[in-house]
Amino acid sequence: MNQLNSEANKPLLSFCNIHKTFGGTVALNDVSMDVHAGTVHILAGENGAGKSTLMKILMGVHAADSGEILWHGEPFRPDSPSEALRQGIAMIYQELTLALHLPVHTNVFLGQEVAKFGFVNEAEQIRRCEELFERLSVDIDPRTLTRDLGIAQRQVVEIARALAADAELIVMDEPTAALSEQEAATLFAVIRTLTERGVAVIYISHYLEEFGQIGDEITVLRDGQLAHHGPLAEVTTEAVIQHMVGREVNELYPQRQPQIGKPVLTIAGLSSPNGTSDAALEIRAGEIVGIAGLVGSGRTEMLRAMFGLDSGEAENFTVQTGDDLEEKLTVQRISPDVLVREGIGYLSEDRSREGLAQNLSIAVNMTLSSLHRCTQKLILPGWWISDRVQNEIAQEHMQKLSVKAASPLQKVGELSGGNQQKVAIARLMSAQARIFLLDEPTRGIDIGAKQEIYRLLCALAGEGCGVVFVSSYLPEIFGMCDSIYVMCRGSISRKYARHEIDEHGVMALATGLEMETSHV
């Protein structure tokens, strides 16, 4: 990590007493922080703490109600992200904004094309692109179609685009959320190259273990207020957590004594054109089953095939039914409508696009998979959906899951990431699911919300439900799961009890060094 240089007392960027409200909600209250050239400044806080609002003010999306921003010591009031970029400030969002069907060099210079005689000079763009990648110490062919790159390489393309616009400050929002450990290490090397050349980075992340690897300074926001600001070396991880949540988090992963019962779902020979190959799994009542593996290993694809979202066939797909789990149902057609009726619920890793209808209310989202519970008979032929019943069901689950919202009528898109995830899980609970297929259920949410999700999943398992838990974060897998499968290139290992395997063993399986395939 870089140490602050002799110009440390002259910040590149300063937020001075920023205040912002939305209606009656105070989003930011008297927030101040400094960012220095050539450093990585960690911006931490729970979802809803004010991080996004502060960055939107920096990028000109919102205007502060009071306070000011200083850039190179001068007042800075951009009216749009493009204006901020022209002034030397770029932001790379968690959802990348690349045109995947275009070559890399076109994306790097999109909106700032190199022209000659009124036409795009592709040869010059390629040459400049090669120079940018050389500066970043990465090997990417500018002629490659962007869709053929991995996620980490696409992020490098976004960084190159910022550098092509002469950015002096780059904001990175959850840059490693979809990266493997190796890809994250590559990104960190690129960030170090940036800071060595004097570029400043504001780094937003919920992964606390990354802070010490990459950060120089840290600012923590809590409930829209400044909770901590200073050198990262002067604060412990435990103190950062306490600043974020306002309390100590002693037991991140709940202590539980699992009561594991009979199988609730048995699958053998599951294959799909999406890459899933001869997968076999067994999920028992009261069991939390982890699915580990690197990004791209096929975990998401397998869950989609299990739920019928992608086409697939299985030699055996048996759901145990009845209160005593003595009745068996062999599923002949794997499809979401059949599986939902049989008590299986699926949570997508992409909650913003697949997991929730962002522009609809909490009540509607919570009951989308159980509308039959909300219907009433008309005097005339037909049925209608009762808003009253929807709201009652939503209110019950909001209370049970401690969803922080104004009312069941509030739009889901207005909630923090953690509360959105609770709504998505409540949708499965409302449909009376007994088997939960959860793909990265804690991705992109803060540590306090993660703890609440962990407790909820343990409670579901305690009620006899079976939980499948896909995660890229190994401490989470070992902290939460009773048993573990590992995936590599579409194939799944045998089932391991948690005490039978350690992190090194998981990585050996995940990287293909050894693979003991599963047979149920």
Side-chain angles (χ1 to χ4, degrees), residues 450-471:
K450 283 182 181 180
Q451 191 177 41
E452 292 180 338
I453 296 293
Y454 296 151
R455 288 173 178 166
L456 171 60
L457 300 186
C458 289
L460 290 172
E463 294 169 3
C465 296
V467 179
V468 177
F469 190 108
V470 171
S471 177

Side-chain angles (χ1 to χ4, degrees), residues 98-375:
L98 299 172
L100 300 182
H101 64 291
L102 296 177
V104 167
H105 71 87
T106 305
N107 271 292
V108 169
F109 291 97
L110 200 61
Q112 49 185 346
E113 289 79 7
V114 179
K116 185 176 183 180
F117 304 124
F119 296 94
V120 174
N121 188 341
E122 290 194 358
E124 180 62 15
Q125 286 192 166
I126 291 170
R127 187 190 67 78
R128 294 189 189 182
C129 225
E130 289 172 339
E131 288 182 351
L132 288 170
F133 291 140
E134 186 177 352
R135 284 170 57 189
L136 294 172
S137 302
V138 294
D139 183 18
I140 298 176
D141 186 344
R143 303 168 188 81
T144 304
L145 287 180
T146 308
R147 65 169 172 245
D148 294 332
L149 301 179
I151 297 295
Q153 290 178 308
R154 293 177 191 177
Q155 286 185 323
V156 173
V157 173
E158 290 262 24
I159 293 171
R161 182 157 67 183
L163 294 181
D166 296 323
E168 299 175 72
L169 170 67
I170 300 176
V171 181
M172 297 185 181
D173 185 9
E174 294 287 349
T176 61
L179 301 187
S180 67
E181 188 174 341
Q182 184 176 359
E183 289 172 325
T186 300
L187 179 64
F188 292 164
V190 171
I191 291 173
R192 291 187 191 98
T193 301
L194 288 173
T195 56
E196 286 167 3
R197 294 177 176 273
V199 177
V201 174
I202 295 178
Y203 190 94
I204 302 171
S205 177
H206 292 305
Y207 296 111
L208 273 67
E209 72 277 5
E210 295 179 350
F211 294 0
Q213 298 178 55
I214 199 67
D216 298 300
E217 294 185 292
I218 185 169
T219 293
V220 181
L221 299 181
R222 184 175 71 245
D223 298 329
Q225 300 187 66
L226 184 66
H228 179 79
H229 177 62
L232 187 62
E234 296 179 4
V235 62
T236 64
T237 300
E238 291 73 18
V240 170
I241 293 173
Q242 191 165 359
H243 288 311
M244 288 172 63
V245 301
R247 62 188 186 280
E248 292 186 17
V249 183
N250 296 320
E251 297 289 349
L252 180 58
Y253 302 109
Q255 298 296 312
R256 54 188 283 264
Q257 296 295 326
Q259 301 296 317
I260 298 175
K262 298 177 181 179
V264 291
L265 178 63
T266 304
I267 298 174
L270 175 66
S271 296
S272 168
N274 70 13
T276 303
S277 176
D278 196 29
L281 301 95
E282 181 187 74
I283 316 301
R284 292 177 171 267
E287 183 180 33
I288 300 178
V289 178
I291 310 290
L294 302 176
V295 173
S297 62
R299 297 164 305 166
T300 292
E301 288 78 8
M302 185 185 69
L303 246 63
R304 291 180 64 87
M306 285 172 63
F307 196 64
L309 293 172
D310 291 344
S311 61
E313 294 183 352
E315 296 172 7
N316 177 42
F317 197 113
T318 302
V319 182
Q320 307 294 133
T321 60
D323 292 338
D324 55 3
L325 300 180
E326 291 298 335
E327 302 172 28
K328 290 184 179 181
L329 173 70
T330 300
V331 176
Q332 303 297 334
R333 180 175 65 90
I334 304 173
S335 67
D337 59 322
V338 172
L339 298 184
V340 168
R341 286 199 303 271
E342 299 307 325
I344 299 178
Y346 168 81
L347 182 70
S348 170
E349 66 172 341
D350 189 350
R351 67 171 173 267
S352 61
R353 295 180 183 174
E354 295 182 346
L356 296 166
Q358 297 283 328
N359 61 333
L360 298 181
S361 70
I362 295 170
V364 170
N365 272 279
M366 282 188 176
T367 56
L368 276 175
S369 298
S370 54
L371 288 175
H372 63 281
R373 298 179 58 195
C374 309
T375 55

